[in-house]
Amino acid sequence: MTETETSRTESPAQNRPSTPFDMIGGVEPIRRVVDAFYDLLESDPQYAELRAMHAPDMAPMREALTGFFTGWMGGSREWFTAQGGFCVMTRHSKMPITEKTAKQWSDAMRAALVVAKVEPGFAAQMDQILTRLAAGMVRG
Ligand code: HEM
């Protein structure tokens, strides 16, 4: 085994499997997705009911969703630590989420992944997971 091979196999950082955070390309693409998502809510009437559930100023939501995705996908957990812990299902459990607003959420996120130019195969995987998660938040 050459020296290069030894260092490659013995470096824990290089052996660690990629996280979804690494696969999407870090914080910058995540921020692009989140910005595209809230830009769509602000501009496209097909998401009107979902938009109406949010406060007029969605700037804090842009920060929150960016921090959430970063930690959830395996990047820095700074946002979760600052929250003192966070469960996305519990946070939504008191919201009157219908099939219609859950679908608006998933549709807007799917469109945002395209706008943000996330690699289509990875975007399809994110879409599948997030669509299921959003459907699980529907309360009757
Ligand atoms: C099912 C459809 C969904 C609806 C209708 C919805 C709606 C909302 C609303 C109205 C807020 C703001 C709450 C407030 O200002 O008090 C919020 C916050 C948030 N949502 Fe959702 N949401 C949905 C799905 C999701 C999903 C699937 C995720 C994550 C994958 C998510 C992540 C977040 C995060 C991180 C926050 C910020 C929480 C905070 O700062 O405390 N949401 N959501």
Side-chain angles (χ1 to χ4, degrees), residues 108-125:
M109 187 51 72
R110 191 174 309 115
L113 289 163
V114 174
V115 173
K117 296 190 165 50
V118 172
E119 188 278 314
F122 187 74
Q125 290 185 49

Side-chain angles (χ1 to χ4, degrees), residues 37-38 49-55 57 60-61 63-69 72 79-80 83 86 88-89 91-92 95-106 109 129-138:
F37 177 81
Y38 290 109
E49 287 84 359
L50 179 60
R51 170 68 187 95
M53 291 176 73
H54 289 80
D57 178 11
M61 290 302 306
E63 294 311 310
L65 196 56
T66 301
F68 171 84
F69 275 144
W72 186 66
W79 182 82
F80 284 80
Q83 299 288 306
F86 180 83
V88 76
M89 298 309 283
R91 180 72 178 84
H92 292 78
M95 295 182 199
I97 299 177
T98 61
E99 271 180 28
K100 186 174 190 181
T101 47
K103 184 172 184 303
Q104 288 183 4
W105 198 99
S106 312
M109 187 51 72
I129 291 165
L130 292 171
T131 297
R132 279 196 202 146
L133 198 58
M137 292 173 179
V138 173

